[in-house]
């Protein structure tokens, strides 16, 4: 067996190191995943009144562990509004638009 022009038979420790490195890498990748990993869900939503043209729409910025989401959206007149959405925006009742005064 040749690797990079060097016969591994002449250097048994080199072959052993390669196998050990491969084993360590496999164990690290395999053990690095938590045993309680769950499938992730992606939920899409649009703010009520969000525009549909280029540069308009809804942008989520942050989600907390309880599922509340904050962000902003641009309406069809290109006016930008902030929003707070609780319980993962499951219902329009959970959606609050935040506008700066004036």
């Amino acid at each position: 067996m040749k690797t990079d022009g060097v016969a591994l038979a002449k250097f048994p420790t080199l072959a052993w190191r390669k196998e050990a490195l491969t084993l360590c890498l496999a164990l690290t990748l395999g053990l690095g995943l938590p045993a309680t990993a769950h499938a992730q869900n992606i939920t899409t939503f649009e703010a009520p009144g969000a525009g549909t043209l280029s540069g308009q729409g809804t942008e989520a910025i942050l989600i907390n562990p309880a599922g509340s989401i904050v962000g902003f959206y641009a309406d069809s007149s290109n006016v930008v509004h902030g929003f707070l959405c609780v319980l993962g925006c499951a219902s329009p009742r959970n959606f609050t638009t935040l506008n700066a005064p004036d």
Side-chain angles (χ1 to χ4, degrees), residues 28-54:
T28 301
L29 292 175
L31 296 177
L33 299 174
T36 59
H38 298 285
Q40 299 296 309
N41 295 322
I42 296 174
T43 303
T44 60
F45 69 94
E46 285 292 333
T52 58
L53 299 177
S54 178

Side-chain angles (χ1 to χ4, degrees), residues 46-81:
E46 285 292 333
T52 58
L53 299 177
S54 178
Q56 299 174 347
T58 306
E59 177 91 23
I61 301 296
L62 183 69
I63 184 169
N64 70 11
S68 296
I69 302 168
V70 294
F72 64 91
Y73 68 95
D75 64 19
S76 59
S77 299
N78 289 321
V79 176
V80 177
H81 310 272

Side-chain angles (χ1 to χ4, degrees), residues 9 16-17 31 35 45 60-61 65 79 82-83 89 91 93:
W16 179 85
R17 287 181 190 166
L31 296 177
F45 69 94
I61 301 296
V79 176
F83 73 84
C89 302
S91 165
R93 292 183 306 231

